[in-house]
Amino acid sequence: MSDLHSEQSTATQPRPVGVTVPQGFSVASTTAHIKPSGKPDMALLRNDGPDFHAAAMFTRNKVTASPVRLTQSHHNGQFKAVIVNAGNANACNGAQGDKDAATTANHVAQALGIDTEDVAVCSTGLIGDVLPMEKVLAGVDALVPQLSSDVEAGGPAAEAIMTTDTVSKQAVYQGDGWSIGAMGKGVGMLAPSLATMLVFITTDAKLASPEAAQKALSASTATTFDCVDVDGSTSTNDTVLLLASGASGVTPDEEEFQRAIHQVCLDIAMQLQADAEGVTKRVSITVEGAATDAEAKEAARVIGRDNLFKCAMFGSDPNWGRVLAAVGMAPVEMEAEKISVSFNGSPVCINSTGAPNAREVDLTGTDIAVTVDLGTGKGGTATVWTTDLSYAYVEINSEYST
Amino acid sequence: MSDLHSEQSTATQPRPVGVTVPQGFSVASTTAHIKPSGKPDMALLRNDGPDFHAAAMFTRNKVTASPVRLTQSHHNGQFKAVIVNAGNANACNGAQGDKDAATTANHVAQALGIDTEDVAVCSTGLIGDVLPMEKVLAGVDALVPQLSSDVEAGGPAAEAIMTTDTVSKQAVYQGDGWSIGAMGKGVGMLAPSLATMLVFITTDAKLASPEAAQKALSASTATTFDCVDVDGSTSTNDTVLLLASGASGVTPDEEEFQRAIHQVCLDIAMQLQADAEGVTKRVSITVEGAATDAEAKEAARVIGRDNLFKCAMFGSDPNWGRVLAAVGMAPVEMEAEKISVSFNGSPVCINSTGAPNAREVDLTGTDIAVTVDLGTGKGGTATVWTTDLSYAYVEINSEYST
């Protein structure tokens, strides 16, 4: 028996969620006063073993933050601890930034009695401000004695890694004698300059190797986090980590494990989309009839990034012409005269021509499903999740950075 | 003696501008009631010879409007007339749209006593509504007897092709015994769904061949219209036409002609940028230190399309971190640790690290010049012109299409 349960569900008996649901993990959070708001802003996650397998996905941006470069250099399939701060991205700080990320990792390693290479460092916040190291190191000192494997400890940690998130994000998957937990924050459009997606996934499944973890994570992010595209912006700090403790002693079927990791990633991804800054509509764009799945994803992404389309969604306007104008610029195979579009299941464009009553389709609800068939007759398909472009998006993202 | 003069200049003795400044051209405009506003909405431009050389550039969108496909099929280096309607794009209307564009061209050809293949058809307006052919054909009948080579006739024509433009756009170049005139409308972000750039350039220069015209036009559009990128959206109807009558009998130096066409294109392009819907800032993005000019243009375009960057410009926020985060996603060669950025000439980021007082740079003016050096040490450079992302943009583009 296995099922997916996210924090946002409203079961009468709320089941535990988060990174300490799986056995073999401890977590702590604290207020280090990096955030001007005085809210909790640091978290420490420790894998207590017996295994220390780790898989990771990092931002594809060529401009990477110091903690990303440090964590990449440490990453060899094993992490024992992850230190996270919110409120400062430690990005574009040059050699000082690199030094500060390394100092943080060293301090954590010493405090936990582990190797520096076994520490991952993640930061999220404003780009270009030097990390307040006195606060960060004091934060580490405060975190270590608070480490707890209590199932309730995940919640405060999920809050401590938030930046402009309005709700914390956690998820869980209960397998047969093993489980997966997760926490995440943000998605790429956050106010002011706080544009980072951080996701931490824990499992007590007994995996054969770090490669097994990486395989499941890579496959899952390709169709979940990589398909959430709120404004096309990609952070310098994006990081997804999967840590496997093996503490359950149970080795799940490979296919089930893969499916479970995908479910947890999708759950967190949907929470990120729903909490995107300024969002008034959740918009899914499914492209079918593409030459390949990759081309379908590319076409869906081009539509999802088109500002004219996004404004139409904000206005609940079934303006299908903007979908055609947008998708026509996608560098993929299509039959320009055979494109069909539906909004929430109602055909609005058939063979690149308007369908009867297309302009009367009701898009006033919060969720809009757009389906586009590229007309190649081939089976490539993919879904990208985006949002509308609202006044609030402009308001939040035009506020002064200082 | 030659100089550039745009309509927006305020010389005490306003010199004539527009498509009938060069000899050998007639123009007319009328109200055909295609626009619901009842404003003028059709124009006819005729080349009276003796030459009929024509060059053309069309949208790169795979989804093209019927008039674009018709004009492309007619284009063999010669056009004698251009018929334009505003208020309806005749895009995504299937076989009916193709038929209507052809009927329009035939009607113009018969009325003028020329071949159908010598007629170019351009439409701009809402996508997906069938063209009201009775009104269009009556409009043609009204236009033909009004054709005038009067130098003042260009102004009303420039107004008749407007959609949501707030001012008409014309330009002129005076060579030694020859000249260039132009009118244009719109740029790709226009309300609701009116997203088309149409530009018509006339010259009485005596050119050796249509190829000479095409060479000058292609080179000029690459660094002018192709570099105005307001929201990344590309219309189904974009068309730029250059008609050469040879009526002056003067053959300009090839280099001067090329430079003159470039000046006129740049003049119209800047007018398009300045009149973009919802614009509160004119933003130029110059990328230097790229491997090639093409890579510089690609990088500048990626920055110019980044919504977080555009919101920061709206907020007069010198948030250079967003420039680095944006450019890091450009698929071009760069030295990620050696990127430098300046705003209005003030360095804000040097070698990918914040410059002193970077957050104090004043961006409250209407014009913002962003310069980015990619640090490759090579000489590739390009400029892209964009705008900020404002409340007004969202307002205009979220209004209902019907």
Side-chain angles (χ1 to χ4, degrees), chain A residues 61-63 69 92 94 127 129 192-193 233 306-308 311 315 317-319 322 324-325 328-330 332 336-337 352-353 359 389 391 393-395 397-402, chain B residues 61-63 69 92 94 127 129 193 233 306-308 311 315 317-319 322 324-325 328-330 332 336-337 352-353 359 389 391 393-395 397-402:
Chain A
N61 205 307
K62 292 187 189 72
V63 177
R69 291 196 295 273
C92 301
I127 293 175
D129 281 352
S193 256
S233 299
D306 187 84
N307 280 352
L308 289 171
C311 284
D317 179 359
N319 194 336
R322 292 188 183 175
L324 259 70
M329 290 304 291
V332 306
E337 298 300 301
S352 303
T353 304
R359 300 210 196 276
L389 178 53
Y391 296 122
Y393 178 92
V394 175
E395 181 179 12
N397 289 302
S398 62
E399 283 169 3
Y400 203 76
S401 58
T402 51
Chain B
N61 204 308
K62 291 186 189 72
V63 178
R69 291 196 296 272
C92 302
I127 293 176
D129 281 352
S193 255
S233 300
D306 187 84
N307 280 351
L308 289 171
C311 284
D317 178 359
N319 194 337
R322 292 188 183 173
L324 260 71
M329 289 305 290
V332 305
E337 298 298 301
S352 303
T353 304
R359 300 212 196 273
L389 178 53
Y391 296 121
Y393 178 93
V394 175
E395 181 179 11
N397 288 301
S398 62
E399 283 168 4
Y400 203 75
S401 57
T402 50

Coordinates of all heavy atoms in Angstrom, one line a residue, chain A residues 61-63 69 92 94 127 129 192-193 233 306-308 311 315 317-319 322 324-325 328-330 332 336-337 352-353 359 389 391 393-395 397-402, chain B residues 61-63 69 92 94 127 129 193 233 306-308 311 315 317-319 322 324-325 328-330 332 336-337 352-353 359 389 391 393-395 397-402:
Chain A
N61 N 22.0 27.5 -15.1 CA 22.6 28.8 -15.3 C 24.1 28.8 -15.3 O 24.7 28.1 -14.5 CB 22.1 29.8 -14.2 CG 22.0 31.2 -14.7 OD1 23.0 31.7 -15.2 ND2 20.9 31.9 -14.5
K62 N 24.7 29.5 -16.3 CA 26.2 29.6 -16.3 C 26.7 30.4 -15.2 O 27.8 30.2 -14.7 CB 26.6 30.2 -17.7 CG 26.3 29.3 -18.9 CD 27.0 29.9 -20.1 CE 26.5 29.1 -21.3 NZ 25.1 29.4 -21.7
V63 N 25.9 31.4 -14.7 CA 26.3 32.2 -13.6 C 25.7 31.4 -12.3 O 24.5 31.4 -12.1 CB 25.7 33.6 -13.7 CG1 26.0 34.4 -12.4 CG2 26.2 34.3 -14.9
R69 N 28.6 26.1 -6.5 CA 29.9 25.6 -7.0 C 30.6 24.8 -5.9 O 31.2 23.7 -6.2 CB 30.8 26.8 -7.4 CG 30.4 27.5 -8.6 CD 31.5 28.4 -9.2 NE 31.8 29.5 -8.3 CZ 31.2 30.7 -8.2 NH1 30.2 31.0 -9.0 NH2 31.6 31.6 -7.4
C92 N 27.4 36.0 -6.9 CA 28.1 37.2 -7.5 C 28.8 37.9 -6.4 O 28.9 39.2 -6.4 CB 27.1 38.1 -8.2 SG 26.2 37.3 -9.5
G94 N 32.1 36.9 -5.8 CA 33.5 36.7 -6.2 C 34.2 35.7 -5.2 O 33.6 34.8 -4.6
I127 N 20.9 38.5 -4.5 CA 22.2 38.4 -5.2 C 23.0 39.6 -4.9 O 22.6 40.7 -5.0 CB 22.0 38.2 -6.7 CG1 21.2 36.9 -7.0 CG2 23.3 38.3 -7.5 CD1 20.9 36.7 -8.5
D129 N 25.0 40.5 -2.2 CA 25.4 41.0 -0.9 C 26.2 39.9 -0.2 O 25.9 38.8 -0.3 CB 24.1 41.2 0.0 CG 23.4 42.6 -0.4 OD1 24.0 43.3 -1.1 OD2 22.3 42.8 0.1
P192 N 12.2 40.5 -3.9 CA 13.0 41.2 -4.9 C 14.3 40.4 -5.0 O 15.1 40.3 -4.1 CB 13.3 42.5 -4.3 CG 12.5 42.6 -3.1 CD 12.0 41.3 -2.7
S193 N 14.5 39.8 -6.2 CA 15.7 39.0 -6.6 C 15.8 37.7 -5.9 O 16.8 37.0 -6.0 CB 16.9 39.8 -6.3 OG 17.5 40.3 -7.5
S233 N 12.7 32.7 -15.9 CA 14.0 33.0 -15.2 C 14.5 31.8 -14.5 O 13.7 31.0 -13.9 CB 13.7 34.2 -14.2 OG 13.3 35.3 -14.9
D306 N 5.3 33.1 -23.0 CA 4.8 34.3 -23.9 C 4.0 35.2 -23.0 O 2.9 34.8 -22.5 CB 4.0 33.7 -25.0 CG 3.7 34.8 -26.0 OD1 4.5 35.1 -26.9 OD2 2.6 35.4 -25.9
N307 N 4.5 36.4 -22.9 CA 3.8 37.4 -22.0 C 2.4 37.7 -22.5 O 1.5 38.0 -21.7 CB 4.6 38.7 -21.9 CG 5.7 38.5 -20.9 OD1 5.8 37.5 -20.2 ND2 6.6 39.5 -20.8
L308 N 2.2 37.8 -23.8 CA 0.8 38.1 -24.3 C -0.1 37.0 -23.9 O -1.3 37.2 -23.5 CB 0.8 38.2 -25.9 CG 1.5 39.5 -26.4 CD1 1.7 39.5 -27.9 CD2 0.7 40.7 -26.0
C311 N -0.8 37.2 -20.1 CA -1.7 38.3 -19.8 C -3.2 37.9 -20.2 O -4.1 38.2 -19.4 CB -1.3 39.6 -20.6 SG 0.1 40.5 -19.9
G315 N -6.5 37.7 -17.7 CA -7.8 38.3 -18.0 C -8.9 37.3 -18.3 O -9.9 37.7 -18.8
D317 N -9.2 35.3 -20.7 CA -9.5 35.6 -22.1 C -9.1 34.4 -23.0 O -8.0 34.1 -23.1 CB -8.7 36.9 -22.5 CG -9.0 37.3 -24.0 OD1 -9.7 36.6 -24.7 OD2 -8.4 38.3 -24.4
P318 N -10.1 33.8 -23.6 CA -9.8 32.6 -24.4 C -9.2 33.0 -25.8 O -9.7 32.6 -26.8 CB -11.2 31.9 -24.5 CG -12.2 33.0 -24.4 CD -11.6 34.0 -23.5
N319 N -8.2 33.8 -25.7 CA -7.6 34.4 -26.9 C -6.6 33.4 -27.6 O -5.4 33.5 -27.5 CB -6.9 35.7 -26.5 CG -6.6 36.6 -27.7 OD1 -6.4 36.1 -28.8 ND2 -6.4 37.9 -27.5
R322 N -3.3 34.0 -29.6 CA -2.0 34.2 -28.9 C -1.2 32.9 -28.7 O 0.0 32.8 -28.7 CB -2.1 34.9 -27.6 CG -2.6 36.3 -27.8 CD -2.6 37.1 -26.5 NE -3.1 38.4 -26.7 CZ -3.3 39.3 -25.8 NH1 -3.1 39.0 -24.5 NH2 -3.8 40.5 -26.1
L324 N -1.4 30.3 -30.9 CA -0.8 30.0 -32.2 C 0.4 30.9 -32.5 O 1.4 30.4 -33.0 CB -1.9 30.1 -33.3 CG -2.5 28.7 -33.7 CD1 -3.3 28.2 -32.6 CD2 -3.2 28.8 -35.0
A325 N 0.2 32.2 -32.2 CA 1.3 33.1 -32.5 C 2.6 32.7 -31.7 O 3.7 32.8 -32.2 CB 0.9 34.6 -32.2
G328 N 4.1 29.2 -32.8 CA 4.7 29.3 -34.2 C 6.2 29.7 -34.1 O 6.9 29.5 -35.1
M329 N 6.6 30.2 -33.0 CA 8.0 30.6 -32.8 C 8.9 29.5 -32.2 O 10.1 29.6 -32.0 CB 8.2 31.9 -32.0 CG 7.7 33.1 -32.7 SD 8.5 33.4 -34.3 CE 10.1 33.9 -33.7
A330 N 8.2 28.4 -31.8 CA 9.0 27.3 -31.2 C 9.9 26.6 -32.2 O 9.4 26.3 -33.3 CB 8.0 26.3 -30.5
V332 N 10.6 23.9 -33.3 CA 10.3 22.4 -33.4 C 9.4 22.2 -34.6 O 8.9 23.1 -35.2 CB 9.5 22.0 -32.1 CG1 10.3 22.3 -30.8 CG2 8.1 22.6 -32.0
A336 N 2.0 23.9 -39.6 CA 1.4 25.2 -39.3 C -0.1 25.3 -39.6 O -0.8 26.1 -39.0 CB 2.2 26.3 -40.0
E337 N -0.6 24.5 -40.5 CA -2.0 24.6 -40.9 C -2.8 23.6 -40.1 O -4.0 23.5 -40.4 CB -2.2 24.4 -42.4 CG -1.5 25.5 -43.2 CD -2.0 26.8 -43.0 OE1 -3.2 27.0 -43.1 OE2 -1.2 27.7 -42.5
S352 N -5.7 25.1 -37.1 CA -5.2 26.5 -37.2 C -6.3 27.5 -37.5 O -6.0 28.6 -38.0 CB -4.1 26.6 -38.2 OG -3.0 25.7 -37.8
T353 N -7.6 27.1 -37.3 CA -8.7 28.0 -37.6 C -9.6 28.0 -36.4 O -9.8 27.0 -35.7 CB -9.5 27.5 -38.8 OG1 -8.5 27.4 -39.9 CG2 -10.6 28.5 -39.2
R359 N -14.7 32.0 -28.6 CA -14.4 33.2 -27.7 C -15.4 33.2 -26.5 O -15.3 34.1 -25.6 CB -14.6 34.5 -28.5 CG -13.5 34.6 -29.6 CD -13.1 36.0 -29.9 NE -12.5 36.1 -31.2 CZ -11.2 35.9 -31.4 NH1 -10.4 35.5 -30.4 NH2 -10.7 36.0 -32.6
L389 N 0.3 36.3 -15.9 CA 1.1 37.5 -15.7 C 0.2 38.5 -15.1 O -0.7 39.0 -15.9 CB 1.8 37.9 -17.0 CG 2.6 39.2 -16.9 CD1 3.7 39.1 -15.8 CD2 3.3 39.4 -18.2
Y391 N -0.9 41.9 -12.3 CA -0.4 43.2 -11.7 C 0.5 42.9 -10.5 O 1.5 43.5 -10.4 CB -1.6 44.0 -11.2 CG -2.5 44.5 -12.3 CD1 -3.9 44.2 -12.3 CD2 -2.0 45.3 -13.3 CE1 -4.7 44.6 -13.3 CE2 -2.9 45.8 -14.3 CZ -4.2 45.4 -14.3 OH -5.1 45.9 -15.3
Y393 N 2.4 40.4 -10.0 CA 3.8 40.0 -10.4 C 4.6 41.2 -10.7 O 5.8 41.3 -10.2 CB 3.7 39.1 -11.7 CG 5.1 38.7 -12.2 CD1 5.6 37.5 -11.8 CD2 5.8 39.5 -13.1 CE1 6.9 37.1 -12.3 CE2 7.0 39.2 -13.5 CZ 7.6 38.0 -13.1 OH 8.8 37.6 -13.5
V394 N 4.1 42.2 -11.4 CA 4.8 43.4 -11.7 C 5.1 44.1 -10.4 O 6.3 44.6 -10.2 CB 4.1 44.3 -12.7 CG1 4.8 45.6 -12.9 CG2 3.9 43.5 -14.0
E395 N 4.1 44.2 -9.5 CA 4.3 45.0 -8.3 C 5.4 44.4 -7.4 O 6.4 45.1 -7.0 CB 3.0 45.0 -7.5 CG 3.1 45.7 -6.2 CD 1.8 45.8 -5.4 OE1 0.9 45.0 -5.7 OE2 1.7 46.5 -4.4
N397 N 7.8 42.4 -8.3 CA 9.1 42.3 -8.9 C 9.7 43.6 -9.3 O 10.8 43.7 -9.9 CB 9.1 41.3 -10.1 CG 9.0 39.9 -9.5 OD1 9.8 39.4 -8.8 ND2 7.9 39.2 -9.9
S398 N 9.0 44.7 -9.1 CA 9.5 46.0 -9.4 C 9.9 46.8 -8.1 O 10.3 47.9 -8.2 CB 8.5 46.8 -10.3 OG 7.3 47.0 -9.6
E399 N 9.7 46.2 -7.0 CA 10.0 46.9 -5.8 C 11.6 47.0 -5.7 O 12.3 46.1 -6.1 CB 9.5 46.1 -4.5 CG 8.0 46.3 -4.3 CD 7.5 45.3 -3.3 OE1 8.3 44.5 -2.7 OE2 6.3 45.3 -3.1
Y400 N 12.0 48.0 -5.0 CA 13.4 48.3 -5.0 C 14.2 47.2 -4.2 O 13.7 46.7 -3.2 CB 13.6 49.7 -4.3 CG 14.9 50.3 -4.7 CD1 15.1 50.9 -6.0 CD2 16.0 50.3 -3.8 CE1 16.3 51.4 -6.3 CE2 17.2 50.9 -4.2 CZ 17.4 51.4 -5.4 OH 18.6 52.0 -5.7
S401 N 15.4 46.9 -4.7 CA 16.1 45.7 -4.1 C 16.7 46.0 -2.8 O 17.2 45.1 -2.1 CB 17.1 45.2 -5.1 OG 18.0 46.2 -5.4
T402 N 16.8 47.3 -2.4 CA 17.5 47.6 -1.1 C 16.5 48.1 0.0 O 15.4 48.4 -0.3 CB 18.6 48.6 -1.3 OG1 18.0 49.7 -2.0 CG2 19.7 48.1 -2.2
Chain B
N61 N 7.7 33.7 -37.8 CA 6.8 32.8 -37.2 C 6.4 31.7 -38.2 O 6.1 32.0 -39.3 CB 5.6 33.6 -36.7 CG 4.8 32.9 -35.6 OD1 4.5 31.7 -35.7 ND2 4.6 33.7 -34.5
K62 N 6.3 30.5 -37.7 CA 5.8 29.4 -38.6 C 4.3 29.5 -38.8 O 3.8 29.1 -39.9 CB 6.1 28.0 -37.9 CG 7.6 27.7 -37.8 CD 7.7 26.3 -37.3 CE 9.2 26.0 -37.0 NZ 9.6 26.7 -35.7
V63 N 3.6 30.1 -37.9 CA 2.2 30.4 -38.1 C 2.1 31.8 -38.8 O 2.3 32.8 -38.1 CB 1.4 30.4 -36.8 CG1 -0.1 30.7 -37.0 CG2 1.5 29.0 -36.1
R69 N 1.3 34.9 -46.5 CA 1.6 33.8 -47.5 C 1.3 34.2 -48.9 O 2.0 33.9 -49.8 CB 0.7 32.6 -47.1 CG 1.1 31.9 -45.8 CD 0.5 30.5 -45.7 NE -1.0 30.6 -45.6 CZ -1.7 30.7 -44.5 NH1 -1.0 30.8 -43.3 NH2 -3.0 30.7 -44.5
C92 N -5.1 32.9 -39.2 CA -5.8 31.7 -38.6 C -7.3 31.6 -39.1 O -8.1 31.3 -38.3 CB -5.7 31.7 -37.1 SG -4.0 31.7 -36.5
G94 N -7.9 29.9 -42.0 CA -7.9 28.8 -42.9 C -8.1 29.1 -44.4 O -7.6 30.2 -44.8
I127 N -6.5 38.3 -34.5 CA -6.3 37.0 -35.1 C -7.6 36.3 -35.0 O -8.3 36.2 -33.9 CB -5.2 36.2 -34.4 CG1 -3.8 36.9 -34.7 CG2 -5.2 34.8 -34.9 CD1 -2.7 36.3 -33.9
D129 N -10.6 36.3 -36.7 CA -11.9 36.8 -37.2 C -11.8 36.9 -38.7 O -10.9 37.4 -39.3 CB -12.2 38.2 -36.6 CG -12.8 38.1 -35.2 OD1 -13.0 37.0 -34.8 OD2 -12.9 39.2 -34.6
S193 N -4.4 41.5 -28.8 CA -4.0 40.6 -29.9 C -3.5 41.3 -31.2 O -3.2 40.7 -32.2 CB -5.1 39.7 -30.3 OG -4.9 38.4 -29.8
S233 N 7.4 38.4 -28.2 CA 6.3 37.9 -29.1 C 6.5 38.3 -30.5 O 7.0 39.4 -30.8 CB 5.0 38.3 -28.6 OG 4.7 37.9 -27.2
D306 N 13.8 38.9 -20.2 CA 13.7 38.4 -18.8 C 12.7 39.3 -18.0 O 13.0 40.5 -17.8 CB 15.0 38.4 -18.2 CG 15.0 37.7 -16.8 OD1 15.1 36.5 -16.8 OD2 14.8 38.4 -15.8
N307 N 11.6 38.7 -17.6 CA 10.6 39.5 -16.9 C 11.1 40.1 -15.6 O 10.6 41.2 -15.2 CB 9.3 38.7 -16.6 CG 8.5 38.5 -17.9 OD1 8.7 39.2 -18.9 ND2 7.5 37.7 -17.8
L308 N 11.9 39.4 -14.9 CA 12.4 39.9 -13.6 C 13.3 41.2 -13.9 O 13.2 42.2 -13.2 CB 13.3 38.9 -12.9 CG 12.5 37.7 -12.3 CD1 13.5 36.7 -11.8 CD2 11.6 38.2 -11.1
C311 N 10.9 44.0 -14.9 CA 10.2 44.6 -13.8 C 11.1 45.5 -13.0 O 10.7 46.6 -12.5 CB 9.6 43.5 -12.8 SG 8.2 42.7 -13.5
G315 N 10.7 49.5 -12.0 CA 10.9 50.1 -10.7 C 12.1 50.9 -10.5 O 12.5 51.3 -9.4
D317 N 15.1 50.2 -10.6 CA 15.9 49.4 -9.6 C 17.2 48.9 -10.2 O 17.1 48.1 -11.1 CB 15.0 48.3 -9.1 CG 15.7 47.4 -8.1 OD1 16.9 47.7 -7.8 OD2 15.1 46.4 -7.6
P318 N 18.3 49.4 -9.8 CA 19.6 49.0 -10.4 C 20.0 47.6 -9.9 O 21.1 47.4 -9.4 CB 20.6 50.1 -9.9 CG 20.0 50.5 -8.6 CD 18.5 50.4 -8.7
N319 N 19.1 46.6 -10.1 CA 19.3 45.3 -9.5 C 20.1 44.5 -10.5 O 19.5 43.6 -11.3 CB 17.9 44.7 -9.3 CG 17.9 43.4 -8.5 OD1 18.9 42.8 -8.4 ND2 16.8 43.1 -7.8
R322 N 19.9 40.6 -11.4 CA 19.0 40.0 -12.4 C 19.6 40.0 -13.8 O 19.2 39.1 -14.6 CB 17.7 40.8 -12.4 CG 16.9 40.6 -11.1 CD 15.5 41.2 -11.2 NE 14.9 41.1 -9.9 CZ 13.7 41.6 -9.5 NH1 13.1 42.4 -10.4 NH2 13.2 41.4 -8.4
L324 N 22.8 39.4 -14.4 CA 23.7 38.3 -14.4 C 22.9 37.0 -14.5 O 23.2 36.0 -15.2 CB 24.6 38.3 -13.2 CG 26.0 38.8 -13.6 CD1 25.9 40.3 -13.9 CD2 27.0 38.5 -12.6
A325 N 21.8 36.9 -13.7 CA 21.0 35.7 -13.7 C 20.4 35.4 -15.0 O 20.3 34.3 -15.5 CB 19.9 35.8 -12.6
G328 N 23.2 34.5 -17.8 CA 23.8 33.2 -17.6 C 23.0 32.1 -18.3 O 23.5 31.0 -18.4
M329 N 21.8 32.4 -18.7 CA 21.0 31.4 -19.4 C 21.1 31.5 -20.9 O 20.5 30.7 -21.6 CB 19.5 31.5 -19.0 CG 19.2 31.0 -17.6 SD 19.8 29.3 -17.2 CE 18.6 28.4 -18.2
A330 N 21.8 32.5 -21.4 CA 22.0 32.6 -22.8 C 22.9 31.5 -23.4 O 23.9 31.2 -22.8 CB 22.6 34.0 -23.2
V332 N 25.3 31.1 -25.2 CA 26.4 31.7 -25.9 C 27.7 31.6 -25.0 O 27.6 31.3 -23.8 CB 26.2 33.2 -26.3 CG1 24.9 33.3 -27.0 CG2 26.2 34.0 -25.0
A336 N 31.9 33.1 -17.0 CA 30.9 33.4 -16.0 C 31.5 34.2 -14.8 O 30.7 34.9 -14.1 CB 30.3 32.1 -15.5
E337 N 32.8 34.2 -14.6 CA 33.4 34.9 -13.5 C 33.9 36.3 -13.9 O 34.5 37.0 -13.1 CB 34.5 34.1 -12.9 CG 34.1 32.8 -12.3 CD 33.1 33.0 -11.1 OE1 33.4 33.7 -10.2 OE2 31.9 32.5 -11.2
S352 N 31.7 39.9 -12.4 CA 30.7 39.2 -11.8 C 30.5 39.4 -10.3 O 29.9 38.6 -9.6 CB 30.8 37.6 -12.0 OG 30.9 37.4 -13.4
T353 N 31.0 40.5 -9.8 CA 30.9 40.9 -8.4 C 30.4 42.4 -8.4 O 30.8 43.2 -9.2 CB 32.2 40.8 -7.7 OG1 32.7 39.4 -7.9 CG2 32.1 41.1 -6.3
R359 N 24.1 49.9 -5.9 CA 22.6 50.0 -5.7 C 22.2 51.5 -5.6 O 21.0 51.7 -5.4 CB 22.2 49.2 -4.4 CG 22.6 47.7 -4.5 CD 21.6 46.8 -3.8 NE 22.2 45.5 -3.6 CZ 22.1 44.5 -4.4 NH1 21.4 44.7 -5.6 NH2 22.6 43.3 -4.2
L389 N 8.6 46.3 -18.0 CA 7.3 45.5 -17.8 C 6.5 46.2 -16.8 O 6.9 46.2 -15.6 CB 7.6 44.1 -17.4 CG 6.4 43.2 -17.2 CD1 5.4 43.2 -18.3 CD2 6.9 41.7 -16.9
Y391 N 2.6 47.9 -15.1 CA 1.2 47.6 -14.9 C 0.4 47.8 -16.1 O -0.5 47.0 -16.5 CB 0.6 48.5 -13.8 CG 1.2 48.3 -12.4 CD1 1.8 49.4 -11.8 CD2 1.2 47.1 -11.8 CE1 2.4 49.2 -10.5 CE2 1.8 47.0 -10.5 CZ 2.4 48.0 -9.9 OH 2.9 47.9 -8.7
Y393 N 1.2 47.4 -19.2 CA 1.4 46.3 -20.2 C 0.4 45.2 -19.8 O -0.3 44.7 -20.7 CB 2.8 45.8 -20.1 CG 3.0 44.6 -21.0 CD1 3.5 44.8 -22.3 CD2 2.8 43.3 -20.6 CE1 3.7 43.7 -23.2 CE2 2.9 42.2 -21.4 CZ 3.4 42.4 -22.7 OH 3.5 41.4 -23.6
V394 N 0.3 44.9 -18.5 CA -0.6 43.8 -18.1 C -2.0 44.2 -18.3 O -2.8 43.4 -18.9 CB -0.3 43.5 -16.6 CG1 -1.4 42.4 -16.1 CG2 1.1 42.9 -16.4
E395 N -2.3 45.5 -18.0 CA -3.7 45.9 -18.2 C -4.1 45.8 -19.6 O -5.2 45.3 -19.9 CB -3.8 47.4 -17.7 CG -5.2 47.9 -17.8 CD -5.3 49.4 -17.3 OE1 -4.3 50.0 -17.1 OE2 -6.5 49.8 -17.1
N397 N -2.9 44.2 -22.1 CA -2.9 42.8 -22.7 C -3.7 41.8 -22.0 O -3.7 40.6 -22.4 CB -1.4 42.4 -22.8 CG -0.7 43.2 -23.9 OD1 -1.1 43.2 -25.0 ND2 0.4 43.9 -23.5
S398 N -4.4 42.2 -21.0 CA -5.3 41.2 -20.3 C -6.7 41.6 -20.6 O -7.6 40.9 -20.1 CB -5.0 41.2 -18.8 OG -5.3 42.4 -18.2
E399 N -7.0 42.6 -21.3 CA -8.4 43.0 -21.7 C -8.9 41.9 -22.6 O -8.2 41.3 -23.4 CB -8.4 44.3 -22.4 CG -8.3 45.5 -21.4 CD -8.0 46.8 -22.1 OE1 -8.1 46.8 -23.3 OE2 -7.8 47.8 -21.4
Y400 N -10.2 41.7 -22.5 CA -10.9 40.7 -23.2 C -10.8 41.0 -24.7 O -11.0 42.1 -25.2 CB -12.3 40.6 -22.8 CG -12.9 39.2 -23.0 CD1 -12.6 38.1 -22.3 CD2 -13.8 39.0 -24.1 CE1 -13.1 36.9 -22.5 CE2 -14.4 37.8 -24.3 CZ -14.0 36.7 -23.5 OH -14.6 35.5 -23.8
S401 N -10.6 39.9 -25.5 CA -10.4 40.1 -26.9 C -11.7 40.4 -27.7 O -11.6 40.7 -28.9 CB -9.7 38.8 -27.5 OG -10.5 37.7 -27.3
T402 N -12.8 40.2 -27.1 CA -14.0 40.5 -27.9 C -14.8 41.7 -27.4 O -14.5 42.2 -26.4 CB -15.0 39.2 -27.8 OG1 -15.1 38.9 -26.4 CG2 -14.4 38.1 -28.6

